[in-house]
Amino acid sequence: ITHPHFDHFGGLGYLLDEFEVGALFDCGDLHIPFYDSVFKDRSIRRTPLYEGAQIKGAENVELLVLHPPRGWIEPRTASLNDSSVVFRIGYGSKSILMTGDAERIALTELNRYGTFLKCDVLKSAHHGSNNRLEGTQFLSLVRPQFAVISEAERNKFNLPSKHTLQDFSDAGVQFYQTGLTGAVEVVTDGQDLHVLPRLNRI
């Protein structure tokens, strides 16, 4: 769970009911009553993820957490979105960057990684919000071939931002909006990579 906003954990109760879950990873010791209620009467190990953590288990897959730094979460933090767990998945020569709902403050932190952010697929930060200068710099470092924007076709926030879409177009990034294409599957053997929108597979 990248951060405890309902659109990111709303399905968690169902998953815990339907699947045998041994561990859950989230962005730290945040006590949000609505989020905490999901764990009531459940015995499950919750592990916070901080910068530098690695999740191991899948053979030859490297999953490295880039954000948040330990101690990042404080009452003064501008937004829960900026507490989002951001991680990089590497397999062979291919990589995917998952950004949660990172916004300008978090992107400023991430930009210090420089060219290490380079990846093949970017999960667009915060549903394609316009993160202005910080977001433009971030995109110039990531330089993805593909981007996936998780959004609903009709939403009260009018996401994704037209500025984000223009930035992707200007950078030559092929992007997919889940509100238009349905779920998007990324498949790779470590050498070749394919992005498969659900509507293209019907």
Side-chain angles (χ1 to χ4, degrees):
I1 307 299
T2 58
H3 62 295
H5 277 161
F6 186 76
D7 59 325
H8 288 255
F9 77 85
L12 181 57
Y14 174 83
L15 293 174
L16 295 178
D17 286 339
E18 298 296 321
F19 296 90
E20 184 177 344
V21 178
L24 181 139
F25 300 92
D26 61 22
C27 66
D29 190 20
L30 282 177
H31 293 293
I32 310 296
F34 193 31
Y35 179 55
D36 288 343
S37 68
V38 178
F39 302 98
K40 186 178 180 180
D41 301 323
R42 300 181 192 271
S43 177
I44 185 168
R45 178 169 54 91
R46 290 170 63 183
T47 301
L49 293 178
Y50 300 110
E51 177 185 13
Q54 292 180 294
I55 299 178
K56 300 181 179 180
E59 187 177 359
N60 298 322
V61 175
E62 298 178 351
L63 195 156
L64 177 65
V65 177
L66 306 182
H67 185 81
R70 186 176 294 275
W72 169 268
I73 301 169
E74 301 175 357
R76 295 185 301 277
T77 299
S79 167
L80 271 179
N81 289 334
D82 283 314
S83 298
S84 290
V85 175
V86 177
F87 57 95
R88 185 181 188 274
I89 307 170
Y91 181 55
S93 64
K94 302 300 178 182
S95 58
I96 302 171
L97 189 61
M98 303 292 289
T99 58
D101 272 0
E103 294 183 312
R104 296 174 65 192
I105 294 174
L107 293 179
T108 298
E109 284 286 315
L110 288 164
N111 284 339
R112 64 188 169 83
Y113 281 99
T115 56
F116 181 74
L117 294 173
K118 175 74 179 76
C119 69
D120 298 283
V121 181
L122 169 68
K123 200 292 290 182
S124 184
H126 196 204
H127 313 284
S129 293
N130 176 25
N131 286 299
R132 288 174 273 189
L133 179 62
E134 294 83 359
T136 302
Q137 181 185 357
F138 180 73
L139 182 61
S140 72
L141 294 170
V142 178
R143 293 188 293 122
Q145 181 180 357
F146 303 101
V148 178
I149 306 169
S150 177
E151 43 99 284
E153 183 176 4
R154 297 177 184 86
N155 62 81
K156 64 181 180 180
F157 302 106
N158 295 315
L159 295 173
S161 164
K162 63 181 180 181
H163 300 290
T164 297
L165 300 184
Q166 189 62 55
D167 286 345
F168 284 149
S169 295
D170 291 346
V173 179
Q174 186 174 344
F175 60 88
Y176 299 89
Q177 299 173 231
T178 59
L180 302 179
T181 67
V184 175
E185 184 178 6
V186 178
V187 179
T188 182
D189 60 3
Q191 295 181 337
D192 296 317
L193 183 144
H194 304 280
V195 179
L196 308 172
R198 179 174 290 173
L199 291 187
N200 289 357
R201 303 174 67 197
I202 296 176

